[in-house]
Amino acid sequence: KGNSGCIFCSTLGSGDNIKYKLLDTLLSIENQIKCFLSSYRGERANKFIVYFQNFTNTFAPVDVLKEKYYSAFIDDRIVGISIATRPDCINEDVCKLLKEISKTHYVTIELGLQTASDLTANAINHGYKSQIYLDAVKMLKSFDIDFVCHLILGLPNETISDIAKTVDFINILP
């Protein structure tokens, strides 16, 4: 929904500090999961939530999203999905799909609020105002879909008052 992204994400997305092989990111979702489940880390647990992290994972036609999300459920140990996205990429069709998935698997959405200060959000090239975030949360809750709120406290030029405003904002969320 923009052309350069927020100032705190690189062109690789938000997972720069996660160690993974570039080859893994070129594999299909199914093959990425198979590789992980057969690794040492994949053998240490009995249940998993697949994490769609980098970039905006609800910004595609719903039929494309459906194919991607359902392609993750290749093993009975996968009990859910966690999807990172932008609040301006949440809509009724996406929520209907997530609700459908939630009938058989746990679903949570991760939304980056970062700050409730629209002035700071603009300075970090966030791309949307706090009202858009609130509208997305209300829509998710109307479909009974869990969400996680990402914050970054102390962004450049933010004051204690700005941080308090952000805390007040998240406390009004459903």
Side-chain angles (χ1 to χ4, degrees):
K1 291 241 170 171
N3 58 15
S4 61
C6 300
I7 63 169
F8 48 84
C9 290
S10 79
T11 57
L12 296 176
S14 59
D16 275 359
N17 295 322
I18 296 173
K19 295 185 183 206
Y20 59 89
K21 297 176 196 160
L22 180 58
L23 178 61
D24 291 346
T25 65
L26 302 176
L27 298 174
S28 68
I29 292 168
E30 298 95 332
N31 284 335
Q32 288 181 58
I33 293 169
K34 285 177 185 175
C35 286
F36 177 82
L37 292 175
S38 66
S39 73
Y40 168 74
R41 294 183 310 158
E43 295 173 354
R44 296 185 327 183
N46 298 326
K47 295 183 181 182
F48 299 92
I49 295 174
V50 174
Y51 187 21
F52 289 83
Q53 180 186 14
N54 285 354
F55 307 111
T56 306
N57 291 290
T58 58
F59 187 61
V62 172
D63 57 325
V64 172
L65 297 175
K66 184 174 186 172
E67 182 181 330
K68 287 180 183 287
Y69 300 158
Y70 277 102
S71 72
F73 302 122
I74 62 166
D75 189 290
D76 290 340
R77 294 173 290 173
I78 297 170
V79 297
I81 56 175
S82 179
I83 303 167
T85 192
R86 295 169 53 103
D88 55 346
C89 293
I90 295 291
N91 59 52
E92 191 170 332
D93 290 337
V94 168
C95 287
K96 286 178 182 176
L97 172 60
L98 298 174
K99 185 65 177 176
E100 173 188 309
I101 295 169
S102 74
K103 293 176 182 173
T104 57
H105 293 84
Y106 177 70
V107 174
T108 186
I109 295 293
E110 295 190 11
L111 294 176
L113 173 64
Q114 316 324 348
T115 179
S117 166
D118 289 338
L119 185 64
T120 303
N122 188 50
I124 65 171
N125 201 33
H126 208 231
Y128 51 85
K129 296 186 181 295
S130 56
Q131 183 61 48
I132 299 293
Y133 189 93
L134 182 58
D135 293 344
V137 166
K138 286 179 180 178
M139 184 174 293
L140 289 168
K141 292 317 283 180
S142 75
F143 282 86
D144 199 28
I145 298 167
D146 289 342
F147 75 97
V148 173
C149 175
H150 285 208
L151 298 175
I152 301 176
L153 300 178
L155 286 163
N157 300 316
E158 274 203 321
T159 65
I160 295 296
S161 176
D162 292 326
I163 293 169
K165 177 182 173 183
T166 297
V167 171
D168 289 344
F169 182 84
I170 63 171
N171 281 329
I172 66 164
L173 298 176

